Amino acid sequence: MPSPSLPAPTVLQPDEARRYLVGQLGLARPLSVPGARGVRSLLKSLRCIQLDPLDVIGTNADLVALARVEGITRGDVYRHLLPGHAFEHFAKERCLLPASAFPYYRERAAQAPWWRLEERLKRIPEPVLHAVLDEVTQRGPSSSRELKDHGAVVPIDWSGWKGTARATAMALEVLWTRCQVVVCGRGPGGKVYDVPGRALPKMAEARVKSAFERWALGERVEAAGLLSRASGPHWSMLSDVRTSALPDTLVSEGVLEDVTVPGSPRRYLAPSGFREREFPEPDARMRILGPLDPVLWDRGLVSVAFGFDYIWEVYKPAAQRQWGWYVCPLLHRGQLVGRLEARVREGVLQVDNLWREKGVKLDDAAVDEALARHAVACGAQAVRRPRARVAS
């Protein structure tokens, strides 16, 4: 329950929440600037873009950008941001963050609790950390495979995921977590690292303007649009902030607003004055959303605001999946109207499954246009798709 000293929560009806989220998260119309400038403007607006290594019809970062920026193709989100305009660190899980956020992370060297930095430090001798940092400083942009081999370590292993067994690679992970190196690009050998002074020259020595927690909470609320006060991955490395006095303090100061949405048992945090923000009406373009698009972060809120139940089943055993391995929602005119499962095979964007939501008449022309645009972005020369089935 809210503290008696706090303002009464703002009540936001589900349809109002839906319209606000679509506008706030940049899904009403494409950004006014295309290409590289558009991608950089997008990251500034969204605050972070969640990363995932799977690349089926583009990585999640690709899909987030392609749904909002014209004139880009698969991989451009990395090419247009790294180096100089972004770095990678933990926000809502591992994300691309704008360069302007780096001073806050450098001061705090933030980490997610599950990252187990202390375990890594027990396995990497301090001289190896110094040696790897010195080599990157002298060489410039380097992947772990290009650096001197410092032998093997016991890998970090949890939840069935096994980390690196190479001391050099684990040292880079520690240095990256500490913001002593940053990811400055991605190549055939994986992530490419450099020191901040070269990769982020404008921000490497900049000073912060407020405490990390206060700044980061404001950024997370802007990034989510409506940030549930219940625990969950949308808090990620800010889990301690969630249970602190800070959220109520910012509400009492008028920096944030408490919000309730009828149909949801949760309370949410929103930016102060969010209801006065003006957004364009959604256009007629259909958008293929990445599984970790910010509008999908809070699946409970998606259910209430959009009437759409979404579960990303990529890590479920095949026999337990209701839909499929890599299934992406379809957004049309501000509504979630269907979902598809697709892959790029031998120059063809092959849609294996296509579903429409119950009660929705899927616009076939809009589907075809969306798939044609996406095929071009993925370098595919053709599209094959089935007729839509009704979601069960």
Side-chain angles (χ1 to χ4, degrees), residues 164-183:
T164 181
R166 297 178 58 245
T168 299
M170 189 177 286
L172 283 169
E173 291 176 349
V174 170
L175 295 168
W176 167 80
T177 304
R178 291 172 166 177
C179 292
Q180 291 175 279
V181 300
V182 295
V183 175

Side-chain angles (χ1 to χ4, degrees), residues 247-284:
D248 282 348
T249 297
L250 295 188
V251 170
S252 65
E253 291 177 1
V255 176
L256 301 177
E257 290 186 39
D258 244 331
V259 176
T260 61
V261 181
S264 172
R266 298 178 173 180
R267 290 164 51 215
Y268 301 88
L269 295 169
S272 179
F274 74 101
R275 297 188 82 171
E276 280 70 59
R277 295 183 178 183
E278 296 185 359
F279 304 110
E281 285 297 309
D283 62 17

